């Protein structure tokens, strides 16, 4: 997909969603953890869903709104990752690995929202 190839936030949100899916599969299969992993799956994959909607938005308001929702979903994902880490379901290395990707995505999304709100 040409749009995906040229859009870093779409790429990173897709790769993050794939990591979330794999992490949730690991939590289900290895840790037998189903409830928290489902919450993580929803919030973590919804980041990309809303980034994709923003990129395809026809108007500036929808564009900003969808990126705002993506940022909120990233905040929810942070919460579930912290619960899994502090609940000793994820190791520190597992947590830090995916959290660094989440933070990078949040920085990009926040920059886009800020730039979009400040431009005329």
């Amino acid at each position: 997909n040409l749009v995906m190839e040229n859009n870093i936030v779409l790429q990173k949100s897709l790769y993050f969603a794939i990591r979330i899916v794999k992490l949730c599969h690991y939590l289900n299969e290895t840790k037998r953890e189903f409830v928290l992993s489902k919450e993580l799956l929803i919030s973590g994959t919804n980041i990309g869903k809303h980034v994709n909607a923003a990129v395809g938005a026809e108007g500036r308001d929808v564009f900003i709104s969808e990126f705002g929702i993506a940022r909120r979903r990233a905040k929810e994902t942070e919460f579930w990752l912290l619960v899994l880490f502090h609940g000793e379901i994820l190791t520190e290395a597992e947590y830090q690995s995916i959290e660094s990707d989440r933070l990078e995505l949040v920085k990009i999304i926040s920059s886009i929202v800020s730039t979009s709100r400040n431009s005329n």
Side-chain angles (χ1 to χ4, degrees):
N1 185 322
L2 189 58
V3 173
M4 183 71 70
E5 290 174 12
N6 295 322
N7 192 313
I8 194 77
V9 72
L10 264 178
Q11 285 177 5
K12 289 192 178 290
S13 63
L14 174 66
Y15 296 140
F16 185 76
I18 292 166
R19 280 200 73 190
I20 288 289
V21 168
K22 289 179 179 180
L23 174 58
C24 291
H25 180 74
Y26 163 77
L27 291 170
N28 290 332
E29 296 299 313
T30 306
K31 304 287 186 165
R32 308 306 296 163
E33 200 307 302
F34 302 100
V35 177
L36 296 174
S37 65
K38 185 171 183 179
E39 294 290 342
L40 179 65
L41 180 66
I42 293 166
S43 66
T45 57
N46 268 297
I47 299 167
K49 171 185 162 185
H50 290 284
V51 165
N52 189 55
V55 169
E58 292 185 21
R60 186 170 172 262
D61 290 344
V62 175
F63 178 86
I64 293 170
S65 173
E66 289 292 340
F67 269 116
I69 295 167
R71 189 166 51 184
R72 286 194 297 280
R73 296 299 169 259
K75 216 42 195 153
E76 290 174 23
T77 302
E78 176 187 33
F79 176 78
W80 296 120
L81 289 171
L82 283 168
V83 169
L84 289 162
F85 171 60
H86 290 292
E88 300 178 356
I89 297 166
L90 288 179
T91 66
E92 185 170 356
E94 291 166 337
Y95 168 76
Q96 290 297 338
S97 174
I98 197 150
E99 175 60 9
S100 67
D101 282 359
R102 189 199 66 81
L103 272 175
E104 181 182 13
L105 196 50
V106 168
K107 287 177 185 174
I108 295 168
I109 291 168
S110 294
S111 175
I112 291 168
V113 170
S114 183
T115 302
S116 299
R117 285 188 175 146
N118 294 332
S119 68
N120 293 329

